[in-house]
Amino acid sequence: MAREASGGARDFARRPVRLQRRSEPSGKRLAVSCHERSMLRGPAAVWAALGPLLWACGLALRGGMLYPRESPSRERKELNGLWSFRADFSENRRQGFEQQWYRTPLRESGPTLDMPVPSSFNDVGQDRQLRSFVGWVWYEREATLPQRWTQDLGTRVVLRIGSAHYYAIVWVNGVHVAEHEGGHLPFEADISKLVQSGPLASCRITIAINNTLTPHTLPPGTILYQTDTSKYPKGYFVQNINFDFFNYAGLHRPVLLYTTPTTYIDDITISTSVNQDTGLVDYQIFVEGGEHFQLEVRLLDEEGKVVAQGTGGRGQLQVPNAHLWWPYLMHEHPAYLYSLEVRLTAQTAAGSVSDFYTLPVGIRTVAVTEHQFLINGKPFYFHGVNKHEDADIRGKGFDWPLLVKDFNLLRWLGANAFRTSHYPYAEEVMQLCDRYGIVVIDESPGVGIVLVESYSNVSLQHHLEVMEELVRRDKNHPAVVMWSVANEPASFLKPAGYYFKTLIAHTKALDPSRPVTFVTNSNYEADLGAPYVDVICVNSYYSWYHDYGHMEVIQLQLATQFENWYRTYQKPIIQSEYGADTIAGFHQDPPLMFSEEYQKGLLEQYHLVLDQKRKEYVVGELIWNFADFMTNQSPQRVMGNKKGIFTRQRQPKGAAFLLRERYWKLANETRYPWSAVKSQCLENSPFTL
């Protein structure tokens, strides 16, 4: 283990990667047969044909990742706040491992800083070196535990890290408990034996995080060593990346402890369908820690009335006259959520135990035709945004006030969708999307895949694992209607065909109920991954990255783009990115680049073509970007990317009002059943036609 845990920036790429979601896996009791499990090894086509049943079984083989919710049998203790922090500035970045900082309180091995969690460490302090630091950083927190947690052997105590960017190693009281690769998805460890082994009232949690990116990480990157000692100090290196956002790092999402009984509900998988006006909820429940148990299942409506119930680990609930989950602005009653209540009763050597878990359920269907995207059998048009989890000094740290502000702006705008560009967002974001009816294209951190080395078997294996983690976490969210496996890869490279064929087939096998795509900026004739997607998602920046200032060519070039892609693939198309950098307060008439007038004029040219093609096969438009965001420093970026229609402080530019007018008009045109819509945020929209 010391060999694995001793890598610094120089040798991070070479050390073995050990993925460990739980430190002590136990036998899982599944409501599926051995025959069904063996079928999971078959080809992807068999998986897709068998549908949600095999999808649920496949995920079960890797364990669950249910969101920690309090219930009569479950408690949670958040560890957000100030943690002790230290960056390892030693030349090889390995001093922390050589001196074993995890064995004693961090303050005993040297000075520490106060670091808020969740947040990125980069912008919190005044240290220029820390902002651009590459290598290992160390976090530590003492947690006081309730007495029952440490004394009741029938209680299971779990440590959960919502996100640690990029590679994390975790110790509790100096004992290694978990490792995880990937900066955007949760992982956890059962620490019961460590906290119940003596008269302990607290535990010391140490987390070492390395933000180094290599050709085989997601996202990829490279370390550039500068060896000319006449220009650079000895050992000088920088992190190079091929994506256009700052590589914020740290504990970005909540860290918490939660409890379950020792026999507990480990995972729930649901899939929904509709038969005439009857909603069908297929469920599968997975239990760990015991063999003898009973399961009771109830489905409640929003008023708390039981509308269906069942027993056992697998079944189907039928809901007559079901309320469907509709996207925001598409229906008079959008985003209807039922509650699936699961109660487990088990017999153990110590007596009877119970576990309770409640899961929100939205009944809806998703389908794709040659020229339409359908939700609940009705054509759906994406009019929304791309986002980043980025704001001011918190970096990518989760923040409830910012999240609520963003959703209020989305609803004010009349946006019905966004893509999680270019990584999975916090679980709480997905929950609000379910609640408000905001449709999500859920994207993996597969951005910047431009090197041949990043198409290796090592990279592919990691990408497959990331998609497993993403599907496992977000599979039950009705707001998630499509998976995106990558953004702007070099999909014209020879290995890209096999890479994306395998990756997309694997994702479809994990979840046959949703379409799969990746977002391309390659030429339609050269793209080797496009044949395997269900929806073509295209990024283009006409009259911005070329033909500078010449907005008169946009209509011709954009129309040609759409016609070429559709003629070649006969699949629905989403304009997944378009836009222009704009510095708030810059005005110029006639419009010049970087002025608010230029951004508005460019958007208007795109909209003229989109209005023609959405009558045929274009099924969506997502502006780049919702808000300005930070990037690496370069002469092309003035304090970050300025393509937002809102500033980084969430104040509107002129284009925000243009898009608001357009999106509310689109909502009125596409609403089902037909009726006028009004803004549900702050004030009535002027577009109540």
Side-chain angles (χ1 to χ4, degrees), residues 18-297:
R18 177 168 172 249
L19 299 178
Q20 179 173 327
R21 192 183 65 82
R22 287 203 175 120
S23 57
E24 297 179 71
S26 58
K28 184 184 295 294
R29 306 302 171 187
L30 308 181
V32 293
S33 68
C34 294
H35 172 66
E36 289 169 331
R37 297 178 80 179
S38 67
M39 292 176 69
L40 294 174
R41 303 185 184 92
V46 175
W47 286 31
L50 292 178
L53 175 61
L54 281 187
W55 163 45
C57 184
L59 290 178
L61 298 178
R62 292 291 303 267
M65 190 55 67
L66 293 174
Y67 184 77
R69 301 181 187 275
E70 290 188 311
S71 75
S73 61
R74 296 177 177 228
E75 300 174 273
R76 55 180 279 166
K77 179 182 176 67
E78 294 197 2
L79 302 180
N80 299 339
L82 293 181
W83 287 53
S84 296
F85 174 90
R86 182 186 302 142
D88 187 343
F89 283 103
S90 63
E91 183 178 350
N92 63 7
R93 301 295 198 263
R94 291 184 291 187
Q95 186 177 24
F97 295 102
E98 293 166 353
Q99 297 181 0
Q100 299 183 333
W101 288 352
Y102 53 87
R103 289 199 174 275
T104 59
L106 198 57
R107 64 181 181 274
E108 295 183 8
S109 55
T112 62
L113 301 174
D114 287 336
M115 185 60 64
V117 172
S119 76
S120 303
F121 65 74
N122 309 81
D123 288 341
V124 172
Q126 298 301 110
D127 189 340
R128 176 176 52 84
Q129 286 184 295
L130 185 59
R131 187 180 190 279
S132 57
F133 180 80
V134 179
W136 290 99
V137 298
W138 293 72
Y139 287 80
E140 183 185 87
R141 166 76 185 264
E142 290 276 348
T144 301
L145 305 179
Q147 188 176 56
R148 189 179 68 80
W149 292 19
T150 62
Q151 296 183 0
D152 182 0
L153 299 183
T155 295
R156 175 173 166 266
V157 183
V158 181
L159 171 65
R160 182 187 179 95
I161 292 94
S163 168
H165 188 71
Y166 172 79
Y167 192 95
I169 306 175
V170 185
W171 297 264
V172 173
N173 296 331
V175 178
H176 172 268
V177 297
E179 296 187 26
H180 184 260
E181 180 177 9
H184 307 92
L185 291 164
F187 61 102
E188 55 188 34
D190 185 335
I191 63 170
S192 306
K193 291 183 178 180
L194 291 174
V195 300
Q196 295 170 350
S197 59
L200 297 175
S202 65
C203 65
R204 179 171 49 84
I205 299 166
T206 307
I207 305 175
I209 300 174
N210 193 317
N211 63 343
T212 307
L213 301 180
T214 76
H216 306 302
T217 59
L218 279 182
T222 56
I223 296 295
L224 175 64
Y225 292 96
Q226 300 288 4
T227 58
D228 185 345
T229 56
S230 69
K231 295 181 179 180
Y232 303 98
K234 181 181 178 182
Y236 188 85
F237 65 89
V238 294
Q239 172 79 74
N240 281 350
I241 56 177
N242 290 297
F243 50 86
D244 189 32
F245 56 91
F246 190 74
N247 188 36
Y248 281 111
L251 290 172
H252 283 157
R253 296 173 191 160
V255 179
L256 58 87
L257 297 165
Y258 73 92
T259 66
T260 72
T262 50
T263 301
Y264 60 96
I265 300 162
D266 180 63
D267 197 17
I268 302 170
T269 298
I270 62 108
S271 63
T272 64
S273 56
V274 180
N275 183 7
Q276 296 181 348
D277 63 349
T278 298
L280 305 177
V281 179
D282 292 285
Y283 67 87
Q284 195 158 16
I285 304 163
F286 304 92
V287 175
E288 279 204 7
E291 299 182 9
H292 306 291
F293 55 84
Q294 295 81 42
L295 289 167
E296 300 176 19
V297 182

Side-chain angles (χ1 to χ4, degrees), residues 434-468:
D434 292 342
R435 181 174 176 176
Y436 293 142
I438 303 298
V439 167
V440 177
I441 300 173
D442 206 351
E443 188 162 272
S444 85
V447 57
I449 306 176
V450 300
L451 302 175
V452 173
E453 304 96 291
S454 296
Y455 285 101
S456 69
N457 287 337
V458 173
S459 296
L460 177 58
Q461 179 60 36
H462 178 50
H463 207 152
L464 296 174
E465 292 169 346
V466 169
M467 292 310 301
E468 290 177 10

Side-chain angles (χ1 to χ4, degrees), residues 286-317:
F286 304 92
V287 175
E288 279 204 7
E291 299 182 9
H292 306 291
F293 55 84
Q294 295 81 42
L295 289 167
E296 300 176 19
V297 182
R298 303 194 307 168
L299 191 69
L300 282 66
D301 64 18
E302 289 187 347
E303 287 71 44
K305 177 184 176 182
V306 177
V307 296
Q309 51 191 331
T311 58
R314 183 172 59 195
Q316 183 182 84
L317 304 177

